[in-house]
Amino acid sequence: MTSDELDAAVEDCVAAIAEVIGTDMKTAWPNALKRLANVLGADACAFSPLAPPTWRRPTLVSTGFEEAQRAYLVGGWNRGSPRQARALKRLQDGEIVFEQDVVDDVTRGQSPFYRDFAAPFGLDWLLAIPVRSARQEWTLHLFRSAAAGPFDKNDLPLFEAEIGRAHV
């Protein structure tokens, strides 16, 4: 990923925000977020409000992630998934959360959440980044499949430098 690629992806998100004003969010966000996921080395991404305990406000998801989002809500996976429960406090404290920092291999191997939801949708590995705006706290969720492998600290330097310049 280069700085120019990330700049272009962030510009897509800003353009999506501009399109949303007075229009339907469904037309702008998915493609912009898919591009952001791609340049950040993820298979999918989503923005969701950091508003426990119900997360009732809308979540914006990348193209190709819509079916997983529906299954997440309809299947009740949003209530008490191992990663959500363990990552929430860290996100509220402004920490970047890696999947492997909040869920161990034993839990991943035994949990229906990973077997029945995450794996079939290719959402095996999470990187969650708190994003604060003037009015609300959000989380950028980046996902990778098992084949792509987990995120690690080497994935962060360019993103941290660029996101520090961004104004949400």
Side-chain angles (χ1 to χ4, degrees), residues 8-163:
V10 170
E11 286 175 20
D12 281 356
C13 290
V14 170
I17 291 168
E19 185 177 325
V20 166
I21 298 171
T23 65
D24 184 0
M25 288 193 307
K26 293 178 184 176
T27 63
W29 277 103
N31 291 333
L33 290 176
K34 180 62 176 173
R35 184 171 180 186
L36 183 62
N38 289 342
V39 299
L40 294 175
D43 297 317
C45 74
F47 269 115
S48 66
L50 184 58
T54 59
W55 283 274
R56 289 184 184 166
R57 286 173 273 176
T59 295
L60 307 169
V61 300
S62 60
T63 302
F65 184 53
E66 301 92 347
E67 184 180 343
Q69 178 66 12
R70 276 190 297 280
Y72 183 72
L73 296 172
V74 172
W77 298 111
N78 58 320
R79 293 186 297 275
S81 74
R83 64 168 59 137
Q84 177 180 312
R86 296 173 183 178
L88 180 59
K89 174 73 169 112
R90 289 180 179 206
L91 290 166
Q92 290 172 326
D93 290 342
E95 293 179 41
I96 293 173
V97 175
F98 293 89
E99 178 86 35
Q100 59 272 34
D101 290 343
V102 294
V103 181
D104 60 41
D105 289 340
V106 172
T107 302
R108 290 174 54 76
Q110 295 175 349
S111 171
F113 173 82
Y114 291 94
R115 180 186 62 243
D116 300 336
F117 172 73
F121 286 105
L123 306 174
D124 302 271
W125 295 103
L126 168 73
L127 172 62
I129 301 168
V131 179
R132 288 179 167 69
S133 71
R135 295 177 36 198
Q136 188 169 338
E137 295 178 330
W138 292 78
T139 302
L140 173 62
H141 308 267
L142 300 166
F143 299 98
R144 282 186 180 158
S145 66
F151 293 93
D152 64 35
K153 303 223 186 293
N154 294 325
D155 293 310
L156 293 180
L158 179 60
F159 183 67
E160 286 179 321
E162 293 298 323
I163 204 68

